Amino acid sequence: MGVYAGIDIGGMSAKIGLVSLQGEILDSTSIVTEPNCFNKTVKEMADKLKELLERNNKELLGIGIGAPGIVDNDHGIVVSAVNLGWVKVDLKKEFEKYYSNIPISIGNDANVAALGEYRFGLDDDMLIKNMVFVTLGTGIGGGVILDGKLFTGTNGGGGEIGHSTLIHQGRKCNCSNRGCWEQYASATALVRQTKRAVAFNKDSILAQVARDRGIIDGMTSFIAARKHDCPIALKVIDKYVDYIVSGLITITNIVHPEVVLIGGGVSKEGDYLISKIQNKLDNYTKKSNYEPYIAIKAAKLLNNAGIIGSASLNM
Amino acid sequence: MGVYAGIDIGGMSAKIGLVSLQGEILDSTSIVTEPNCFNKTVKEMADKLKELLERNNKELLGIGIGAPGIVDNDHGIVVSAVNLGWVKVDLKKEFEKYYSNIPISIGNDANVAALGEYRFGLDDDMLIKNMVFVTLGTGIGGGVILDGKLFTGTNGGGGEIGHSTLIHQGRKCNCSNRGCWEQYASATALVRQTKRAVAFNKDSILAQVARDRGIIDGMTSFIAARKHDCPIALKVIDKYVDYIVSGLITITNIVHPEVVLIGGGVSKEGDYLISKIQNKLDNYTKKSNYEPYIAIKAAKLLNNAGIIGSASLNM
């Protein structure tokens, strides 16, 4: 049986995997990525892929690559990947130097993760055509599936849901705008909101949990809320869910998917978080006469979504 | 030659037209619409269409109907049209009682106007695949064209761009949410902003223009700014354009169309307004490394977009 290569490039490392037509990772490896080393990075990825193929003795049917930043899928170009220092690099062409007779496709990392979750992360019984994948991480990434296909907008500039406006002229964002959704609803934002609540409520159970754990992270408020029913923590989470849902309302009105998959570190809170998001969004769609309501689900592939999704670009 | 019927239903009246394959309105008429009279309204539209066809002696090739509210194009159902008191009415089926052997298609009024503008309102030399149409009127309506086709989301719930969030928990909106884009960037919002500026600056040229004209409307600030270079009016317009662009940034990041067409009453300000929107949006896309920039254009079909667009549903 042939296999599909999936490469998930990040700012620190690139993961390379062999994926079956059923979406299983058969074997994987990784390299360290450095900024401003485009040719070297591509060569290392190509070499590592060769090793993987030899080790597994498999026929290669296609190579899919997910890269961070703005990616022009149609032309195989990474328009801008700030963390890697890549500006308008022809990733597809460079990779073809090593694999000339194999189909090579590229996409934005979060976009291809969305494709992976769509193809292999949904329940079998769901016949979904339109889906939005939202990763709550350092920022908010994600991707949009329309009519069963990855939607990336003109020259790959669409699907950047984290930079939809949530608060006109609000918090400054790296994208040069202010008030982007990710400034309020990312895991980073939750940590900031939690720190603020701790600072203003030093005698709360939330502050106690923070002290006990020696760190304030995306889990702090959830631990204080779930284990100790701390009112301050519940308030932090309630407000955070409001921010998430406010951005989902934008997605509801523009895209109206059947399903929104929530991924990223925060999604590990599972049903506790998902049900809160679902209830608040239902409250809106119900009042606005939208039917059917949009199903909120936790993503399943998590860290593997990048490899599986990029591999699936050629399936 | 055969013709296509286009019917544009509004809260007060329905316009009925015969449209050529080239997008010209050959003849048109209208009826008064009343709330809660679904069957009667459909019958009157069907009768008027029959009159039009007889008067012009044309063969009917298809009927397209644009209705306000949430419309499920695929199933021909108006899910909810508040102003008409229609809830889950089977518009297509009801119309088929009068025209049983003719293709009948329905869509949301602003969505079909978008389709009309896309098919017949763009410059001939533009090869556009992705377009968003934004009408700045009582609210903000519009539509999304993706890959040359009208995109309406699951069960017609998408393309409601006016209800994307602009200010989290901001001004109350009819849709049951708060802070929708249309609460800040519609013509209604501009009038409110102008009234406020007049009230706070009674000695300004803006206030003088308002007094001279005996009314404060969407044109007031533009007249004071264009004719008299009034700083207060310029500030009102500048802030209003900020609101427009902030919502367009959401559209840029999610959809990334090649063109945004601006319609509605405010678009009559033409290049004066369009160039301001273009400059501010370019400023964002440039800093964010997006290419190509998104072209902002004034819509051309204006009041005819509804008839032409609904007719074009069957072309």
Side-chain angles (χ1 to χ4, degrees):
Chain A
M1 283 290 291
V3 293
Y4 296 84
I7 302 180
D8 182 16
I9 307 178
M12 311 284 279
S13 69
K15 292 181 280 181
I16 302 143
L18 301 183
V19 179
S20 74
L21 197 57
Q22 288 73 41
E24 295 151 327
I25 298 180
L26 305 172
D27 196 0
S28 68
T29 182
S30 67
I31 63 159
V32 172
T33 52
E34 290 165 65
N36 308 311
C37 297
F38 174 63
N39 294 335
K40 182 169 164 251
T41 303
V42 172
K43 186 178 184 312
E44 283 180 14
M45 292 189 295
D47 289 348
K48 280 282 185 181
L49 174 56
K50 203 172 162 224
E51 277 177 41
L52 266 188
L53 289 164
E54 284 168 1
R55 187 157 87 198
N56 290 272
N57 193 25
K58 295 281 187 189
E59 187 199 352
L60 183 61
L61 300 176
I63 299 169
I65 310 173
I70 302 175
V71 177
D72 179 349
N73 299 24
D74 291 343
H75 302 100
I77 288 167
V78 178
V79 179
S80 164
V82 178
N83 292 339
L84 293 164
W86 295 1
V87 178
K88 286 189 205 166
V89 294
D90 197 334
L91 180 56
K92 180 171 146 83
K93 201 170 164 190
E94 187 66 22
F95 224 90
E96 281 171 345
K97 287 185 185 166
Y98 306 95
Y99 296 88
S100 54
N101 294 314
I102 303 285
I104 299 178
S105 303
I106 76 167
N108 166 275
D109 53 354
N111 284 180
V112 302
L115 187 64
E117 293 283 358
Y118 175 73
R119 292 267 183 85
F120 300 109
L122 289 176
D123 297 333
D124 280 346
D125 59 345
M126 295 185 94
L127 283 171
I128 301 301
K129 285 169 68 181
N130 304 317
M131 186 197 95
V132 173
F133 174 54
V134 181
T135 53
L136 308 172
T138 311
I140 295 183
V144 177
I145 305 289
L146 299 182
D147 210 11
K149 290 188 292 283
L150 182 59
F151 172 78
T152 59
T154 309
N155 291 8
E160 287 283 341
I161 52 175
H163 297 285
S164 52
T165 302
L166 192 82
I167 298 186
H168 175 67
Q169 294 178 348
R171 286 182 67 88
K172 203 167 164 17
C173 184
N174 296 332
C175 80
S176 88
N177 197 23
R178 288 181 166 275
C180 294
W181 189 25
E182 71 171 34
Q183 290 301 317
Y184 303 90
S186 62
T188 310
L190 172 60
V191 172
R192 196 183 60 242
Q193 292 152 15
T194 307
K195 281 181 178 167
R196 200 180 148 85
V198 167
F200 279 88
N201 301 278
K202 289 192 174 133
D203 299 329
S204 65
I205 298 169
L206 178 66
Q208 189 58 49
V209 168
R211 281 193 293 273
D212 291 349
R213 293 179 70 238
I215 187 177
I216 296 179
D217 59 16
M219 293 165 67
T220 309
S221 285
F222 285 99
I223 292 169
R226 296 171 92 152
K227 287 202 184 160
H228 310 285
D229 213 27
C230 164
I232 302 291
L234 285 165
K235 210 169 153 188
V236 169
I237 294 170
D238 193 55
K239 209 170 161 191
Y240 178 63
V241 170
D242 279 341
Y243 286 131
I244 294 174
V245 170
S246 217
L248 291 182
I249 287 175
T250 295
I251 289 174
T252 298
N253 281 297
I254 297 181
V255 177
H256 213 100
E258 293 144 278
V259 171
V260 170
L261 281 192
I262 307 286
V266 179
S267 73
K268 288 175 191 152
E269 301 300 332
D271 268 356
Y272 184 83
L273 173 66
I274 297 297
S275 64
K276 283 176 190 290
I277 298 173
Q278 182 80 68
N279 287 343
K280 289 210 181 191
L281 187 63
D282 282 358
N283 194 27
Y284 169 73
T285 45
K286 197 182 283 182
K287 280 194 195 152
S288 303
N289 293 321
Y290 275 131
E291 282 186 49
Y293 305 155
I294 294 170
I296 309 292
K297 307 245 169 211
K300 284 189 183 166
L301 305 184
L302 300 173
N303 290 337
N304 291 330
I307 292 180
I308 296 171
S310 48
S312 72
L313 282 169
N314 290 300
M315 288 181 188
Chain B
M1 283 291 291
V3 294
Y4 296 84
I7 302 179
D8 182 15
I9 308 177
M12 311 284 281
S13 69
K15 292 181 281 183
I16 302 144
L18 300 184
V19 180
S20 74
L21 198 56
Q22 288 73 40
E24 297 150 326
I25 297 179
L26 306 173
D27 196 0
S28 67
T29 181
S30 67
I31 63 159
V32 172
T33 53
E34 289 166 66
N36 308 311
C37 298
F38 173 64
N39 294 334
K40 180 170 165 248
T41 303
V42 172
K43 186 178 185 311
E44 283 180 16
M45 293 189 295
D47 289 347
K48 281 281 183 180
L49 174 56
K50 202 172 165 224
E51 276 178 42
L52 266 187
L53 288 165
E54 284 169 359
R55 187 157 86 198
N56 290 272
N57 193 23
K58 296 280 187 189
E59 185 199 354
L60 183 61
L61 300 177
I63 300 169
I65 310 172
I70 302 175
V71 177
D72 180 349
N73 299 23
D74 292 342
H75 302 99
I77 289 167
V78 178
V79 180
S80 164
V82 179
N83 292 340
L84 293 163
W86 295 0
V87 177
K88 287 189 204 165
V89 294
D90 198 334
L91 180 56
K92 180 171 148 81
K93 201 170 162 189
E94 186 67 22
F95 223 90
E96 280 170 347
K97 287 185 185 168
Y98 306 96
Y99 294 88
S100 54
N101 294 315
I102 304 284
I104 299 177
S105 303
I106 76 167
N108 166 275
D109 54 354
N111 284 181
V112 303
L115 186 65
E117 294 282 359
Y118 175 73
R119 291 268 181 84
F120 300 109
L122 288 176
D123 296 333
D124 280 346
D125 59 346
M126 295 184 95
L127 283 170
I128 300 302
K129 284 168 68 180
N130 304 316
M131 187 198 95
V132 172
F133 174 55
V134 181
T135 53
L136 307 173
T138 311
I140 294 184
V144 177
I145 305 289
L146 299 182
D147 210 11
K149 292 189 290 284
L150 182 60
F151 172 78
T152 58
T154 309
N155 290 8
E160 287 283 341
I161 53 175
H163 297 285
S164 52
T165 302
L166 193 82
I167 298 186
H168 175 68
Q169 294 179 347
R171 286 182 68 88
K172 204 166 163 21
C173 184
N174 295 333
C175 80
S176 87
N177 196 23
R178 288 182 165 274
C180 294
W181 189 24
E182 72 171 34
Q183 289 302 317
Y184 303 90
S186 62
T188 310
L190 172 61
V191 172
R192 196 183 59 241
Q193 291 151 16
T194 306
K195 281 182 178 167
R196 200 179 148 85
V198 167
F200 280 89
N201 301 278
K202 290 192 174 134
D203 299 330
S204 64
I205 298 170
L206 178 66
Q208 189 57 52
V209 169
R211 281 192 293 272
D212 289 350
R213 295 180 67 238
I215 187 177
I216 297 179
D217 58 17
M219 294 166 67
T220 308
S221 285
F222 285 100
I223 292 169
R226 297 171 93 152
K227 287 203 185 159
H228 311 285
D229 212 26
C230 164
I232 301 291
L234 285 165
K235 210 168 151 188
V236 169
I237 293 170
D238 193 54
K239 209 170 160 191
Y240 178 64
V241 170
D242 279 342
Y243 287 131
I244 294 174
V245 170
S246 216
L248 291 182
I249 287 176
T250 295
I251 289 173
T252 298
N253 280 297
I254 297 182
V255 177
H256 211 101
E258 293 144 278
V259 172
V260 170
L261 282 191
I262 307 286
V266 180
S267 73
K268 286 175 192 153
E269 300 300 332
D271 268 355
Y272 183 84
L273 173 67
I274 298 296
S275 64
K276 284 178 190 286
I277 298 173
Q278 182 80 68
N279 288 342
K280 291 211 182 194
L281 187 63
D282 282 357
N283 194 27
Y284 169 73
T285 45
K286 197 182 281 182
K287 281 195 194 153
S288 303
N289 293 321
Y290 275 131
E291 282 185 51
Y293 305 155
I294 294 169
I296 309 293
K297 309 241 168 215
K300 285 188 183 165
L301 305 185
L302 300 172
N303 289 339
N304 290 330
I307 291 179
I308 296 172
S310 49
S312 72
L313 282 169
N314 290 301
M315 290 180 186

